[in-house]
C-alpha cells in the first residue's frame, strides 16, 4: 500500500513539476505587467475613455471602448465604480457595456498568462473577448437606445490604494497584493491539472471536448461556470486539456463563460443590472460562447 502511494506521489509530482516550470514565468511576468499597468497606466487608460466620450465617433466608440476594457487592469468590483464615474461624465451605456464586457473577460495580466497556451489560443482569446465586448455594446445600442441599461446609483469612484510617494514601493505593494490574490489559485490550478493528467484518460477528454461538434463546445462552455475561480488558475487546466485533445473552439467557449460567470463577477454585474437584464446577460454570454466556439472550430477546420 505504501509503495502504491509513493508511486502515485512520484507521478503527481512529475506532472506538477512539468506544469509549474512551463507556466511559472508567465505568471510572474503577468504579475509584474499587471502591477505596472495598474500603478503607472491605469489613470491614463481611464482618462482616455473619458476624453473619447466627448467626441462624436458613433459606433467606433464601441470598438474603442472594448479595446480599453481589455487594457484596464481592474477586477469587476473595481470596474463598476469606475464605470459609474464614466456614466456621470456622460459616457453612453452602449460604450460602457462594451468596456465592462471586455473588462470582465480579459486584462493585460491574463493576456500574459494565456501566452502559455501558445499563439493560436492567445489570438483566439484576445479576438473573442474583443468581439464579445463590441457585440454587447451594439446590442445595448440597438435595444436600449431610449432607456437606461445600467443602474449605478450609490457607486462612487474608489480611492486608489497606490498612493505611496515612493514610486518603487508603490509598485512593490501593488505587486504584493497581486501575488496574494492569485498565488493560491495558480498553485491550485497546477494541482488540478496534475490530477487530470494522471487520472482522467486522454480519450475521455477527446470524446467530450474534441472535434467540431456542438456538444463539445457546449460542454466546455458549461464547465466554465463552476470551474473558473481565477484566470491564472485555469491556464494549467486549459494547457493540459488542449494537449489531451480539447478543440480550440471548446477552449474558446470555456475562456468566455469562465470569467463572465465567475461568482465575484456575477455578484458585481447583478448589482448594476437588476434581475431582468442580468438574465439577459447570462443568456448573451452562453449564446456568444457557443457560437464563438463553433466559429473557431469551423475556421480552424477550413484552414487546417
Amino acid at each position: 500500500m505504501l509503495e502504491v502511494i509513493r508511486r502515485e506521489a512520484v507521478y503527481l509530482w512529475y506532472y506538477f513539476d512539468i506544469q509549474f516550470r512551463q507556466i511559472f514565468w508567465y505568471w510572474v511576468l503577468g504579475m509584474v505587467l499587471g502591477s505596472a499597468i495598474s500603478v503607472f497606466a491605469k489613470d491614463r487608460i481611464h482618462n482616455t475613455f473619458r476624453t473619447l466620450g466627448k467626441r462624436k465617433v458613433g459606433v467606433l466608440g464601441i470598438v474603442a471602448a472594448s479595446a480599453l476594457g481589455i487594457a484596464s487592469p481592474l477586477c469587476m468590483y473595481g470596474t463598476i465604480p469606475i464605470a459609474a464615474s464614466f456614466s456621470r461624465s456622460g459616457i453612453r451605456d452602449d460604450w460602457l457595456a462594451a468596456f465592462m464586457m471586455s473588462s470582465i473577460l480579459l486584462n493585460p495580466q491574463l493576456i500574459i498568462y494565456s501566452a502559455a497556451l501558445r499563439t493560436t489560443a492567445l489570438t483566439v482569446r484576445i479576438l473573442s473577448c474583443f468581439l464579445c465586448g463590441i457585440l454587447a455594446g451594439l446590442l445595448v445600442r440597438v435595444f436600449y437606445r431610449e432607456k437606461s441599461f445600467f443602474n449605478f446609483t450609490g457607486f462612487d469612484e474608489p480611492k486608489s490604494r497606490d498612493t505611496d510617494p515612493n514610486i518603487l514601493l508603490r509598485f512593490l505593494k501593488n505587486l504584493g497584493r497581486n501575488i496574494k490574490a492569485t498565488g493560491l489559485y495558480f498553485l491550485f490550478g497546477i494541482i488540478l491539472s496534475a490530477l487530470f493528467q494522471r487520472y482522467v484518460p486522454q480519450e475521455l477528454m477527446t470524446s467530450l471536448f474534441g472535434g467540431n461538434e456542438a456538444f463539445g463546445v457546449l460542454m466546455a462552455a458549461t464547465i466554465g461556470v463552476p470551474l473558473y475561480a481565477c484566470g491564472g488558475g485555469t491556464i494549467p487546466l486549459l494547457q493540459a486539456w488542449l494537449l489531451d485533445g480539447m478543440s480550440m473552439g471548446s477552449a474558446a467557449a470555456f475562456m468566455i463563460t469562465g470569467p463572465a460567470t465567475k461568482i465575484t463577477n456575477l455578484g458585481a454585474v447583478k448589482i448594476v443590472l437588476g434581475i431582468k437584464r442580468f438574465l439577459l446577460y447570462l443568456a448573451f454570454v452562453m449564446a456568444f460562447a457557443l457560437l464563438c466556439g463553433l466559429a473557431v472550430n469551423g475556421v480552424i477546420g477550413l484552414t487546417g
Side-chain angles (χ1 to χ4, degrees):
M1 183 65 177
L2 287 176
E3 182 60 31
V4 172
I5 294 174
R6 188 180 297 111
R7 185 178 68 247
E8 291 304 310
V10 169
Y11 279 124
L12 288 173
W13 174 255
Y14 169 77
Y15 289 120
F16 178 91
D17 181 58
I18 289 177
Q19 288 278 28
F20 184 86
R21 286 189 284 110
Q22 286 179 338
I23 296 174
F24 176 73
W25 292 112
Y26 290 101
W27 178 71
V28 171
L29 185 58
M31 292 290 99
V32 172
L33 178 66
S35 292
I37 291 176
S38 183
V39 171
F40 304 118
K42 177 179 64 180
D43 290 340
R44 185 173 298 177
I45 292 168
H46 295 161
N47 288 335
T48 298
F49 194 28
R50 287 190 176 93
T51 302
L52 184 68
K54 299 175 183 178
R55 301 178 181 177
K56 295 181 179 180
V57 294
V59 176
L60 289 178
I62 294 175
V63 178
S66 184
L68 289 171
I70 290 174
S72 176
L74 295 177
C75 68
M76 186 44 46
Y77 273 104
T79 296
I80 285 179
I82 291 293
S85 174
F86 291 156
S87 182
R88 287 191 290 270
S89 300
I91 303 293
R92 301 162 49 104
D93 275 5
D94 52 349
W95 292 20
L96 290 175
F99 178 86
M100 292 176 66
M101 187 73 249
S102 62
S103 182
I104 286 174
L105 298 177
L106 198 57
N107 57 49
Q109 196 167 304
L110 190 51
I111 289 175
I112 297 298
Y113 294 158
S114 301
L117 302 175
R118 304 305 179 220
T119 304
T120 301
L122 176 62
T123 303
V124 165
R125 182 161 216 169
I126 294 173
L127 287 178
S128 62
C129 294
F130 180 53
L131 293 175
C132 189
I134 292 173
L135 182 57
L138 290 174
L139 289 174
V140 170
R141 183 182 183 90
V142 170
F143 293 104
Y144 284 83
R145 182 181 293 272
E146 304 298 332
K147 50 187 174 180
S148 177
F149 186 73
F150 298 104
N151 178 11
F152 292 117
T153 304
F155 282 96
D156 296 317
E157 189 167 343
K159 294 181 179 179
S160 175
R161 299 172 68 183
D162 300 312
T163 56
D164 196 294
N166 185 307
I167 195 169
L168 178 60
L169 287 178
R170 194 188 316 164
F171 170 74
L172 291 176
K173 287 180 179 178
N174 188 285
L175 181 61
R177 291 195 297 270
N178 257 341
I179 292 172
K180 183 179 179 180
T182 65
L184 287 178
Y185 289 112
F186 172 73
L187 290 175
F188 183 63
I190 294 179
I191 291 170
L192 274 182
S193 174
L195 290 170
F196 267 96
Q197 286 185 289
R198 175 58 182 158
Y199 298 114
V200 177
Q202 180 177 345
E203 295 78 13
L204 178 61
M205 295 300 296
T206 303
S207 64
L208 285 176
F209 305 118
N212 298 321
E213 294 81 5
F215 175 76
V217 176
L218 180 61
M219 282 290 295
T222 304
I223 66 168
V225 177
L227 276 184
Y228 201 101
C230 170
T234 56
I235 297 301
L237 286 172
L238 279 169
Q239 188 181 59
W241 291 344
L242 286 168
L243 287 173
D244 284 346
M246 178 184 244
S247 71
M248 191 58 65
S250 294
F254 180 90
M255 290 187 287
I256 293 292
T257 59
T261 59
K262 188 170 72 169
I263 295 300
T264 52
N265 286 344
L266 286 180
V269 169
K270 186 178 182 298
I271 292 172
V272 297
L273 291 185
I275 186 62
K276 180 180 177 180
R277 293 186 294 276
F278 177 69
L279 293 175
L280 289 174
Y281 164 80
L282 291 178
F284 167 75
V285 166
M286 294 302 295
F288 181 86
L290 178 59
L291 293 175
C292 178
L294 292 174
V296 168
N297 277 346
V299 170
I300 291 178
L302 289 173
T303 59

